[in-house]
Amino acid sequence: MSRLNLTSFDALSDNLDYLAERFPHAVTEVRSADGAATRAVDWDVLRQEFSGQLVEGTQERYRLDWPGKREALLLSNSPTARSLRPIRAESVDFDTTRNLYIEGDNLDTLKLLQEPLLGQVKMIYIDPPYNTGNDFLYADDFADSRDDYLKQSGQVDEAGARLVATSETGGRFHSAWLSMMYARLKVARSLLTEDGVGFVSIDGNEVAQLKMLLSELYGPNNFVATITWVSNLKGRQISDGGPAGTHEYILCFARDAQAVNQFRGSGAAFRKLMPDVYKGAAYALKEDAKGPYVTKNELYNTNSKFNERTAPTMVFRIHYNSDSGEVRVSDLDDETTYPGFITAMPHPNSRPGLNWHAWRWSRAKILADHEDLEFDTTNGRLRIRTKIRDVDGMTMKDIVIGPSTMTGQADLEALGMGRLFDTPKPVGLLETLISVATGPDDLVLDFFAGSCATAEAVLRQNAADGGQRRFIMVQLDEPCGAGTPAAAEGFSTIAAIGRERVRRAGSALKAKGFTGDIGFRALRLDSSTRADVRRTPDEVTQESLLELQATVKPDRTDDDLLFDALLDLGVDPASPVVELNVDGTVIFDVADGAVIACFARKVSQEMLRSIAGPQPLHALFRDAAFETDAARINAEQLLKQLSPNTTIATM
C-alpha cells in the first residue's frame, strides 16, 4: 500500500527530469539556501547546446567539483581532539603484538595516526560504501542520513510524506559520497611510504568519479591501474536493464608511481587461484652454476625505434667462445675475427633506411654480467637470450577471475561465521594484492575494515612467505541491525565481528603451525583524555576552583593516559609495551625504553632515578603527581642531571 502524495504537480521537478533526459551534462548539483544538495541547471552548458558559437561563461577548467568540496577540504585539514583508548579485554597479545584494530570514525583515526605513522604505510586497501542508495554512517557534517537528507532537500515533509515524484538520495547524488571519500583519502596520502600504493574497491556507480578524485588528490601521473575483478561470473540477474553485471573494479594509486615496482608475484600461486587467467608455464626450466632459470627473450631490442641512429652505443658485435665461456665485444665496423669465437651481429632492422636493432644491454653490462646470458651456438649461429632467475615470478594482470563473493562467504564459513556479511571480499583476492605490493616487513592499512578480510589476508601471507607484515584495521562502531544473522549470533557491532574474525583466523593459522604474530591491540576512538577546565570568569566560583584542578578525566585509566600521550609524542601506538612494577608502582616501558611513563599520584626521587636509568627519549608523568611548582622544578632538574637528553612531559 502506497502513501498518498498529497501535493500538487511539481512542474519544476518535471522540467528538470526532462532536461536530465535530453541534456544530462547540463544538470548538475548545487547547494540550496538551507545547505542541502539539490539539482540545478548549468545554464552555460545548456546555452551552448543551442548556439553554433562559443557561449561566454565562467572560466573553464578541468576539474571534479561538487557541492561541499570546500567543506570536505576544510574538514580534512582541521585537527582533532580525540584519543585512542586501549581495550585490553578485546585484544590478543596486547603487550607484544604489532597489529592494531581501531574502533571508531576513520577520519579522526587517520588524523591521529598522521604523526606517528607519517610515511610508514606501504599499502592501503579499502572497500568503502559503494553509494548504491544506502545510508551513510559517517558523522561528517556533509554525510546526512537518508531521512535527514530528504528533509533538507525538500523531498519529504516533517511527517515523512514524499514531496516529489522521484526520490533523489545518496544513490543518485554523488556529492555526499565524494565529500566523505575526499577527506579520508586526502589524509591517508600522508601515511603512505614514497613507494606506497593504495587499492580501492568500487562498482560502476562511482568508478568514474573515484578515478578523477584519486587523480586530483594523488596526481594524475600517480594513478597506477584499473583492475577488473569478476566478482560474480553468473551475473547479477536482478537489474533495471542491460547486461547482467559480473564485475567490480579495484582502482590502484600511488604516492609516487615512478617509485612503484612491477606487481610481481608467484606464478604458481596465480595459477592456483586464477587458472583461467594464468596458464601453465610455457618455458623450460634450466639450471646453471647460479641455479635454476628460464629464457624468454633474445637480447636484442624488438622495438625498431631503437637502432644505430637513435641508440648508436647499443649497436655492436658480440663474440663468444663456447669452450672457455669468454665474451668479447667490438665496434660494428670492426671486422676483426677471434679464433675459437662465434660472432653475433645485431638483429636486422626492416624499417626503411635502417640496418640494425639495438641490443638491450650495454657493452659494460654484457661483459660484467654475461653469466646471466644464455649463448646458443646451434648450427654454428650465435643467438643470445637473457636468463630469468625468478623462475616462479610473474607480473600480475589487471583482471582477476577466480576469487568471488562466494569465495568470500566460504572464507567466513570456514571460521564458523558464515552469512554475517552479504558480500565479503575474498581473502585470496586481498592476499594476492598484498603479495605483489608489499615486502615481508611492510605495514598494511584498511580504514573501511568491515569483515576484516584484509587482516586475515595479511596473516595468511605472512604464514605463506614467513613475513612479519603488520596490519591496522579501522572500523566504525556501526551497530548490527535487529534481526540480522550477526545480531542473532550475539554481535552488537560490525567492529565486534571484525575482532572475532581476526581471533579465529589467527587461531586457525596457529593450529597449522604458524608461529608469527596473530594478535592485535584493540583501541577505541574516544574523546580526549584531558579534562576540559576552560571556563569564562563568570562561570567560576570559589567552590568550583578545586574541581578545575584536575587535568585528566576521572574515568580514564593509566592505559588511557599512556596511549593518548604516545599519539601526542608521535610514537607508534603499536609499539611494544612492558609494564614494570617498581616498589609497588606501575611503570610503562614503551618501544624498548624510548618512552617511560609513570602515572602514580606521587613520584619520589627514587622513582625518578629509576626512570632516568634507561635514558629514555621521553618521560611521562601525571600532572597532579607534583603538588607544587617547586616539586615539579626539582623533579625536572634531577631528570635533566641524570638523563640530559630526556624530554619530560606531564598530563
Side-chain angles (χ1 to χ4, degrees):
M1 182 181 297
S2 60
R3 177 178 293 182
L4 293 176
N5 200 352
L6 301 179
T7 60
S8 62
F9 173 71
D10 189 340
L12 174 61
S13 179
D14 188 66
N15 290 337
L16 285 171
D17 289 341
Y18 176 82
L19 288 175
E21 180 182 356
R22 298 296 300 273
F23 309 104
H25 54 295
V27 177
T28 183
E29 294 176 5
V30 297
R31 281 206 183 278
S32 61
D34 60 1
T38 185
R39 290 191 302 172
V41 178
D42 188 329
W43 294 108
D44 291 329
V45 173
L46 189 61
R47 281 191 297 160
Q48 189 64 66
E49 288 292 333
F50 295 94
S51 174
Q53 304 296 322
L54 181 63
V55 175
E56 295 293 331
T58 57
Q59 182 179 1
E60 292 181 337
R61 61 186 65 86
Y62 183 78
R63 65 175 181 178
L64 176 64
D65 213 349
W66 66 90
K69 183 177 183 180
R70 283 179 293 181
E71 289 91 333
L73 173 60
L74 182 65
L75 184 63
S76 67
N77 291 331
S78 63
T80 181
R82 310 293 292 278
S83 66
L84 296 178
R85 300 181 68 180
I87 321 171
R88 285 183 177 267
E90 295 288 347
S91 305
V92 176
D93 301 330
F94 182 93
D95 290 328
T96 58
T97 184
R98 301 300 312 281
N99 301 316
L100 296 178
Y101 188 102
I102 303 173
E103 177 182 327
D105 179 82
N106 50 17
L107 180 57
D108 279 327
T109 299
L110 289 170
K111 291 179 181 180
L112 290 174
L113 296 178
Q114 268 187 301
E115 188 172 355
L117 295 180
L118 185 69
Q120 295 187 39
V121 174
K122 182 60 179 293
M123 173 181 154
I124 292 172
Y125 171 79
I126 56 173
D127 182 18
Y130 279 8
N131 197 18
T132 55
N134 297 323
D135 291 353
F136 287 119
L137 295 169
Y138 293 87
D140 307 327
D141 291 339
F142 45 74
D144 302 319
S145 70
R146 179 178 181 273
D147 291 341
D148 288 342
Y149 181 85
L150 289 172
K151 291 177 182 177
Q152 291 181 17
S153 60
Q155 297 180 55
V156 298
D157 60 18
E158 292 299 323
R162 184 69 55 78
L163 300 179
V164 294
T166 303
S167 172
E168 294 286 357
T169 58
R172 291 281 184 89
F173 280 169
H174 304 289
S175 298
W177 188 87
L178 283 168
S179 291
M180 178 191 71
M181 295 299 294
Y182 182 96
R184 288 157 175 80
L185 288 170
K186 184 176 183 297
V187 177
R189 182 181 183 276
S190 65
L191 301 179
L192 281 175
T193 61
E194 287 301 317
D195 60 348
V197 296
F199 299 92
V200 186
S201 283
I202 198 68
D203 69 358
N205 286 298
E206 293 290 355
V207 65
Q209 286 71 237
L210 179 59
K211 185 172 182 179
M212 293 182 68
L213 183 65
L214 290 170
S215 295
E216 177 176 327
L217 290 173
Y218 290 80
N221 294 332
N222 292 323
F223 186 85
V224 178
T226 299
I227 300 170
T228 301
W229 170 44
V230 180
S231 57
N232 181 4
L233 193 56
K234 294 186 300 182
R236 298 175 184 86
Q237 302 301 319
I238 302 176
S239 61
D240 293 334
T246 61
H247 66 277
E248 299 178 14
Y249 304 95
I250 303 173
L251 301 190
C252 178
F253 58 94
R255 179 73 180 264
D256 179 3
Q258 291 186 338
V260 176
N261 295 321
Q262 278 191 322
F263 288 165
R264 300 281 292 175
S266 165
F270 287 163
R271 287 188 288 273
K272 182 179 179 181
L273 186 67
M274 297 174 276
D276 291 334
V277 180
Y278 300 90
K279 305 301 181 182
Y283 304 97
L285 185 64
K286 308 174 187 179
E287 190 165 353
D288 62 10
K290 295 178 69 174
Y293 71 91
V294 296
T295 56
K296 296 182 180 180
N297 301 314
E298 291 196 40
L299 185 59
Y300 72 88
N301 196 319
T302 57
N303 191 335
S304 60
K305 292 182 179 180
F306 297 94
N307 50 65
E308 68 269 19
R309 292 184 183 176
T310 60
T313 62
M314 304 292 283
V315 178
F316 47 85
R317 298 178 186 230
I318 302 175
H319 314 277
Y320 174 70
N321 188 312
S322 58
D323 294 327
S324 65
E326 184 182 356
V327 178
R328 298 178 181 178
V329 295
S330 64
D331 293 338
L332 193 63
D333 57 2
D334 184 351
E335 298 183 357
T336 302
T337 59
Y338 302 94
F341 284 79
I342 299 177
T343 299
M345 298 293 288
H347 191 78
N349 196 322
S350 60
R351 295 184 68 178
L354 298 173
N355 296 314
W356 310 106
H357 282 253
W359 299 109
R360 289 186 287 114
W361 286 21
S362 68
R363 300 185 190 209
K365 183 172 177 60
I366 289 172
L367 294 175
D369 299 329
H370 62 267
E371 291 182 350
D372 290 325
L373 295 174
E374 182 184 75
F375 297 89
D376 181 0
T377 58
T378 304
N379 298 324
R381 177 190 172 196
L382 178 58
R383 301 177 68 181
I384 307 171
R385 301 179 181 90
T386 51
K387 296 177 181 179
I388 300 175
R389 301 288 180 184
D390 183 11
V391 295
D392 185 43
M394 186 177 289
T395 302
M396 179 184 173
K397 300 178 182 179
D398 63 0
I399 185 169
V400 177
I401 303 176
S404 65
T405 51
M406 294 298 294
T407 312
Q409 286 289 0
D411 293 332
L412 283 172
E413 289 170 1
L415 299 174
M417 303 178 74
R419 299 299 166 184
L420 298 186
F421 290 87
D422 292 333
T423 54
K425 291 296 182 288
V427 175
L429 169 66
L430 304 181
E431 192 176 351
T432 299
L433 298 180
I434 291 167
S435 71
V436 301
T438 71
D441 299 311
D442 285 330
L443 175 59
V444 177
L445 168 66
D446 183 345
F447 52 89
F448 285 95
S451 70
C452 260
T454 305
E456 183 176 349
V458 171
L459 297 179
R460 281 199 199 178
Q461 187 59 35
N462 284 343
D465 64 9
Q468 295 180 319
R469 296 170 187 82
R470 300 166 49 202
F471 66 73
I472 299 177
M473 301 290 109
V474 185
Q475 173 58 41
L476 188 70
D477 52 345
E478 175 184 347
C480 298
T484 61
E489 292 289 330
F491 293 105
S492 58
T493 65
I494 300 299
I497 301 175
R499 288 191 293 264
E500 181 61 22
R501 188 207 185 129
V502 183
R503 289 190 197 97
R504 296 188 187 186
S507 296
L509 288 171
K510 186 176 181 179
K512 295 178 181 179
F514 178 54
T515 58
D517 184 2
I518 60 169
F520 62 90
R521 186 172 288 173
L523 305 172
R524 179 174 291 130
L525 186 71
D526 206 333
S527 60
S528 174
T529 301
R530 281 97 168 153
D532 185 4
V533 296
R534 295 171 297 177
R535 300 289 188 276
T536 59
D538 57 343
E539 293 178 312
V540 179
T541 64
Q542 187 68 31
E543 293 76 15
S544 67
L545 285 176
L546 290 176
E547 299 175 1
L548 299 178
Q549 287 182 346
T551 57
V552 175
K553 292 178 179 176
D555 65 332
R556 301 305 165 98
T557 66
D558 288 357
D559 273 344
D560 295 334
L561 269 65
L562 176 65
F563 278 83
D564 199 359
L566 293 181
L567 294 172
D568 265 7
L569 295 173
V571 178
D572 186 348
S575 298
V577 176
V578 178
E579 187 174 313
L580 306 172
N581 191 302
V582 179
D583 296 331
T585 300
V586 173
I587 293 179
F588 296 100
D589 182 330
V590 182
D592 298 323
V595 179
I596 293 187
C598 176
F599 298 118
R601 301 286 176 176
K602 189 173 183 179
V603 179
S604 66
Q605 286 202 350
E606 291 74 15
M607 182 63 65
L608 292 173
R609 293 180 186 277
S610 297
I611 291 171
Q615 303 287 302
L617 294 176
H618 306 281
L620 297 173
F621 303 95
R622 187 185 292 266
D623 192 59
F626 307 103
E627 295 180 352
T628 65
D629 289 341
R632 188 191 314 275
I633 293 171
N634 290 338
E636 187 172 3
Q637 291 300 320
L638 179 60
L639 281 173
K640 283 297 182 184
Q641 179 183 351
L642 299 173
S643 182
N645 295 319
T646 298
T647 300
I648 305 164
T650 61
M651 298 186 66

